[in-house]
């Protein structure tokens, strides 16, 4: 597996799996990223912060290994959360798939190379995630979930906004804040990652 | 009976849970969700987890009902309004809110019963026997196994940062800063570790295409397979009925 390359060590591209789109190293990273989503999500909830940060592992994998790896991370995260925490997370699998896919596409266009680009990517991912969650919230929860987003929806309903619009605006507002923060953190981490490790994912180093 | 339920194939339990969830949403309220909830709680009682399943379902459905009641009956009243204590209240909105919460509670109970009585690794093995690819088996099993380790490492990093003087109390900004100081080292360490694990996977012929064997087999009798086929068939019938109704 190891090949000498001048003064530095480089690695041959690992065997592609999952229909030739996801490498072994990406598959090895995904379970750790899923666990990171759960661990950071639990800590943020314990610290009573107004964000979730429970997609930070998904965004990291998508930034390093592309949209399919991002989708796999998001889907696996909510499946595991559904098994370990509450089955309601299973209903939101499409939302986490959208987050993984959009973060992977954003990475392909260099969205994690600078902080301003990461902020723009976070806004885009947050808007898409918010839009994806609204049909689920309307169909299964009657338009409001018990939590910060639900309180925002109720406040917007008190201003005579239709239920769909109130749910959409509250979901997008919360998701944009959360995903901007996640993307900025991922960009900062990628900038500190050894260049050799980024190259192992078969992509140009996102911070290069 | 407890042993009997514990011994059923996880895919049979999953098929029953999916049938109950679909029934909850397709059969009109309150009869559909009530029947599904009663069956899920009965199965949970047979497995000795009824209390936990009821708590799990109530933890989702009761707050949802309260939020829906506040929104649709008080804040933005829907339907006929009566004056109560200086507020316009729509009591008619409480019933639809109850049905939404009941459906949610029944769905959570149906899935919760399976989650609480089926070890995840057993479910993965049963899925593998039905043809789940090796890479997706690894994703599920390794993710489930990685969660306790990640939580332990998160606590270790947090303790290390605290020992360097990081404050985790105070306002939201201070708490957010503490979280960021935690997330960075955790993320770098997981990427580094993934490289080692990828080499280990490759060294163990992870991408080999031949048939694999398992140390332990999950029993799957002909009778259970037949019952499962009937349940999947009923699920499809319910979905079609729900669409054309």
């Amino acid at each position: 597996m190891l090949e000498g390359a001048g003064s530095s060590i480089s690695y041959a591209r690992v065997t592609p799996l999952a229909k030739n789109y996801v490498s072994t190293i990406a598959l090895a990273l995904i379970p750790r990223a899923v666990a990171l989503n759960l661990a950071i999500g639990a800590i943020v909830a314990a610290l009573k912060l107004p964000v979730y940060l429970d997609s930070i592992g998904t965004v990291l994998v998508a930034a390093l290994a592309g949209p399919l790896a991002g989708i796999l991370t998001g889907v696996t995260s909510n499946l595991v959360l559904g098994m370990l925490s509450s089955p309601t997370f299973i209903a939101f699998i499409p939302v986490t798939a959208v987050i993984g896919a959009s973060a992977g596409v954003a990475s392909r266009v260099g969205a994690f190379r600078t902080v301003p680009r990461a902020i723009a990517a976070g806004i885009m991912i947050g808007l898409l995630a918010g839009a994806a969650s609204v049909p689920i919230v309307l169909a299964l929860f009657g338009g409001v979930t018990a939590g910060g987003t639900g309180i925002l929806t109720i406040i917007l309903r008190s201003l005579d906004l239709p239920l769909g619009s109130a749910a959409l605006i509250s979901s997008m507002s919360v998701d944009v804040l959360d995903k901007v923060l996640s993307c900025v953190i991922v960009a900062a981490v990628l900038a500190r990652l050894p260049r050799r490790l980024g190259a192992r994912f078969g992509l140009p180093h996102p911070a290069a | 009976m407890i042993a009997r339920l514990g011994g059923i194939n996880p895919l049979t339990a999953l098929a029953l849970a999916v049938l109950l969830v679909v029934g909850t949403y397709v059969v009109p309220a309150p009869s559909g969700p009530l029947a599904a909830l009663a069956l899920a709680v009965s199965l949970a009682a047979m497995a000795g987890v009824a209390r936990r399943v009821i708590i799990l379902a109530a933890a989702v459905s009761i707050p949802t009902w309260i939020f829906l009641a506040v929104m649709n009956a008080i804040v933005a009243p829907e339907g006929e309004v009566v004056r109560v204590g200086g507020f316009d209240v729509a009591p008619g909105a409480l019933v639809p809110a109850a049905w939404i919460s009941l459906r949610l509670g029944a769905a959570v109970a149906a899935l919760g019963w399976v989650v609480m009585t089926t070890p995840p690794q057993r479910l993965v093995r049963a899925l593998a026997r039905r043809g789940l690819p090796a890479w997706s088996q690894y994703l599920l099993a390794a993710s489930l196994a990685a969660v306790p380790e990640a939580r332990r490492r998160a606590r270790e990093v947090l303790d290390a940062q605290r020992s360097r003087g990081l404050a985790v109390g105070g306002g939201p900004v201070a708490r957010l800063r503490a979280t960021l100081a935690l997330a960075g080292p955790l993320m770098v360490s997981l990427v580094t570790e993934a490289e080692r694990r990828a080499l280990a996977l490759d060294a163990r012929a992870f991408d080999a295409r031949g048939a694999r064997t398992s140390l332990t087999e999950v029993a799957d009798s002909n009778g259970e397979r037949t019952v499962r086929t009937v349940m999947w068939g009923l699920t499809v019938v319910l979905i079609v009925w729900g669409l054309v109704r």
Side-chain angles (χ1 to χ4, degrees):
Chain A
M1 268 299 156
L2 298 177
E3 293 171 350
S7 57
S8 63
I9 297 172
S10 67
Y11 293 78
R13 179 87 187 268
V14 289
T15 311
L17 289 168
K19 294 185 181 173
N20 294 344
Y21 287 111
V22 181
S23 62
T24 310
I25 191 167
L27 283 173
L29 178 63
I30 290 170
R32 266 70 212 158
V34 168
L36 180 81
N37 282 342
L38 270 65
I40 296 285
I43 287 167
V44 165
L47 291 176
K48 295 183 173 58
L49 285 165
V51 286
Y52 306 116
L53 295 183
D54 57 355
S55 300
I56 200 163
T58 306
V59 176
L60 176 71
V61 172
L64 278 168
L68 181 59
I71 292 170
L72 287 174
T73 312
V75 170
T76 312
S77 279
N78 272 35
L79 268 179
V80 169
L81 267 170
M83 289 183 191
L84 298 181
S85 182
S86 170
T88 48
F89 285 101
I90 294 169
F92 289 94
I93 282 177
V95 181
T96 55
V98 166
I99 293 167
S102 50
V105 171
S107 168
R108 296 281 198 230
V109 296
F112 296 96
R113 286 181 190 166
T114 63
V115 170
R117 284 186 186 196
I119 291 171
I123 292 170
M124 182 201 75
I125 296 165
L127 291 175
L128 290 171
S133 67
V134 169
I136 299 163
V137 172
L138 286 173
L140 300 185
F141 295 82
V144 63
T145 51
T149 313
I151 291 170
L152 196 54
T153 306
I154 291 174
I155 291 169
L156 292 170
R157 283 287 285 142
S158 73
L159 302 172
D160 281 341
L161 248 71
L163 179 60
S165 308
L168 184 67
I169 293 169
S170 58
S171 287
M172 283 181 168
S173 312
V174 173
D175 270 314
V176 163
L177 177 67
D178 188 62
K179 301 312 175 275
V180 163
L181 209 53
S182 296
C183 287
V184 170
I185 295 169
V186 167
V189 167
L190 292 181
R192 284 165 181 77
L193 212 60
R195 189 172 292 260
R196 177 186 64 78
L197 267 179
R200 281 280 279 146
F201 287 88
L203 292 169
H205 193 295
Chain B
M1 196 64 191
I2 293 169
R4 178 84 191 99
L5 273 181
I8 66 169
N9 189 289
L11 298 183
T12 309
L14 192 64
L16 179 55
V18 172
L19 174 62
L20 290 179
V21 171
V22 171
T24 292
Y25 280 93
V26 171
V27 180
S31 52
L34 271 179
L37 182 64
L39 188 52
V41 172
S42 303
L43 289 165
M46 287 178 201
V49 294
R51 193 168 170 269
R52 285 171 60 204
V53 165
I54 290 168
I55 289 171
L56 185 70
V60 176
S61 59
I62 292 173
T64 301
W65 184 80
I66 292 169
F67 271 65
L68 281 170
V70 168
M71 185 172 76
N72 295 336
I74 301 169
V75 173
E78 288 178 355
E80 204 172 306
V81 171
V82 292
R83 199 84 179 153
V84 180
F87 290 99
D88 286 337
V89 177
L94 298 177
V95 176
W99 297 160
I100 290 169
S101 308
L102 181 63
R103 282 200 160 106
L104 208 51
V108 168
L111 290 167
W113 159 68
V114 179
V115 166
M116 284 177 193
T117 55
T118 310
Q121 282 76 7
R122 199 161 175 267
L123 177 62
V124 174
R125 278 202 299 275
L127 287 168
R129 200 185 146 122
R130 302 298 299 168
L132 187 74
W135 60 267
S136 46
Q137 289 172 44
Y138 170 77
L139 280 191
L140 265 179
S143 298
L144 287 161
V147 173
E149 165 68 15
R151 285 182 175 155
R152 186 189 59 75
R153 193 176 293 182
R155 277 196 301 272
E156 276 178 9
V157 174
L158 194 59
D159 287 344
Q161 302 287 35
R162 274 173 173 159
S163 71
R164 294 188 186 103
L166 180 82
V168 293
V173 176
R175 281 178 279 145
L176 187 61
R177 203 172 287 153
T179 309
L180 301 187
L182 170 74
L186 262 181
M187 290 163 84
V188 172
S189 74
L190 82 89
V191 177
T192 312
E193 192 186 289
E195 186 185 34
R196 285 202 306 271
R197 287 194 179 260
L199 289 170
L201 284 172
D202 275 341
R204 286 160 180 79
F206 183 59
D207 57 333
R209 293 185 185 275
R212 288 153 200 254
T213 54
S214 176
L215 272 177
T216 50
E217 289 294 335
V218 179
D220 194 14
S221 66
N222 286 335
E224 268 197 66
R225 270 186 234 159
T226 308
V227 168
R228 225 164 37 229
T229 307
V230 170
M231 286 194 291
W232 285 125
L234 277 173
T235 304
V236 172
V237 168
L238 275 176
I239 291 170
V240 172
W241 179 61
L243 290 174
V244 300
R245 186 159 48 111

